[in-house]
Amino acid sequence: MKPAIAAALTLAATAATPAFAGPPAELKPAGVAGPGVYVTDLEAQKAWYMDKLGMTVQDTMKRGDKPFEYIMSFGGGGNGAIMALAQSAQRPAGPNAFSRVILAAPNAKG
């Protein structure tokens, strides 16, 4: 493709795309903090990540008194990468068992 045609196509594509300002500053993610992973045996997986990788539980999400998710990290300082282990009886087969990507944002509750 000739450079002039490529430049014209690029200009046309960007002109037709509406500008997106993004989220407000207090909600704009600063980066990816880690993944969320579905597991069928939450307690066994928590033990594996602690024993084999040296991770610690940073936070526990519960329904009533029963944990359904652990937020795991290295050191638990809150500034490093984290990983969520989420209980799921319907975990998909194979290696693609991610439940979500966790974003680090200044105001996560917002």
Side-chain angles (χ1 to χ4, degrees):
M1 185 178 307
K2 293 186 177 189
I5 295 172
L9 289 174
T10 302
L11 181 60
T14 56
T17 305
F20 179 66
E26 71 274 7
L27 301 179
K28 185 175 182 178
V32 175
V37 179
Y38 287 128
V39 298
T40 54
D41 188 336
L42 186 62
E43 296 304 319
Q45 289 298 300
K46 177 184 82 165
W48 189 90
Y49 281 97
M50 292 175 78
D51 295 342
K52 304 295 184 197
L53 299 181
M55 296 181 92
T56 59
V57 175
Q58 183 176 325
D59 201 358
T60 302
M61 310 305 164
K62 295 182 178 182
R63 288 189 183 105
D65 62 346
K66 185 176 180 186
F68 69 90
E69 182 172 288
Y70 291 114
I71 306 298
M72 309 290 291
S73 70
F74 292 103
N79 294 328
I82 61 172
M83 178 175 157
L85 296 176
Q87 178 74 38
S88 174
Q90 296 85 24
R91 180 191 179 276
N96 289 335
F98 289 106
S99 62
R100 66 187 174 283
V101 173
I102 304 165
L103 302 174
N107 180 2
K109 297 233 185 246

